[in-house]
Amino acid sequence: MQSYTIGQAARLLGVSPDTVRRWADGGRVTTHRDEGGRRLIDGRDLAAFSIEVGQSSTSEEEVPHTSVRNAFPGIVTAVKLGDVAAQVEIQAGPHRLVSLLTREAVEELGLEVGMQATARVKSTSVHIDRT
């Protein structure tokens, strides 16, 4: 399973690294240390926490409401596979994006809960890039 540094988690959550450190120190999100002593967050834990943060973000001042070229880097929070189609959910800061795509595309990208991905929005279509 992929793990994320404090800085990576901060970027995905749309907050500062200091905020993520405070959340970790306060027990809101679990971290572990790698061989080099860096604090890491398990991808599945970060996915679950990103949903909580996204649902609790209500202040306009807390979260930047911007999309650079309609790209939303975030973390995969759900993958639902059907026989032919699939549904992928990404939490990108306070934004929850849902994309319907083929099962084949999900399998080719190797998308799973906890991994980093970017949702790209064009008109009413949401495209997923594995990052």
Side-chain angles (χ1 to χ4, degrees):
M1 170 53 54
Q2 184 169 354
S3 292
Y4 296 90
T5 65
I6 295 290
Q8 290 170 324
R11 185 176 60 80
L12 293 169
L13 295 169
V15 298
S16 72
D18 285 337
T19 297
V20 176
R21 282 188 203 94
R22 280 192 299 274
W23 287 339
D25 292 343
R28 286 190 65 192
V29 64
T30 304
T31 63
H32 62 278
R33 298 208 181 255
D34 67 5
E35 305 81 35
R38 294 183 311 166
R39 292 171 78 175
L40 301 175
I41 302 171
D42 178 73
R44 288 192 183 274
D45 291 340
L46 184 58
F49 184 67
S50 70
I51 293 170
E52 176 188 325
V53 169
Q55 291 173 342
S56 67
S57 293
T58 56
S59 170
E60 291 289 326
E61 295 176 333
E62 289 179 14
V63 181
H65 293 283
T66 177
S67 170
V68 178
R69 294 188 169 182
N70 300 322
F72 293 83
I75 187 165
V76 176
T77 58
V79 176
K80 298 174 186 163
L81 297 174
D83 291 337
V84 177
Q87 177 179 315
V88 176
E89 295 181 24
I90 292 180
Q91 191 72 39
H95 309 289
R96 177 180 166 262
L97 297 115
V98 179
S99 179
L100 301 176
L101 56 162
T102 65
R103 179 186 180 118
E104 180 181 4
V106 171
E107 290 171 345
E108 283 179 7
L109 291 170
L111 295 175
E112 60 184 42
V113 171
M115 74 183 330
Q116 188 175 346
T118 300
R120 297 195 186 275
V121 180
K122 180 180 178 190
S123 186
T124 59
S125 300
V126 177
H127 305 269
I128 305 295
D129 296 341
R130 180 176 175 180
T131 51

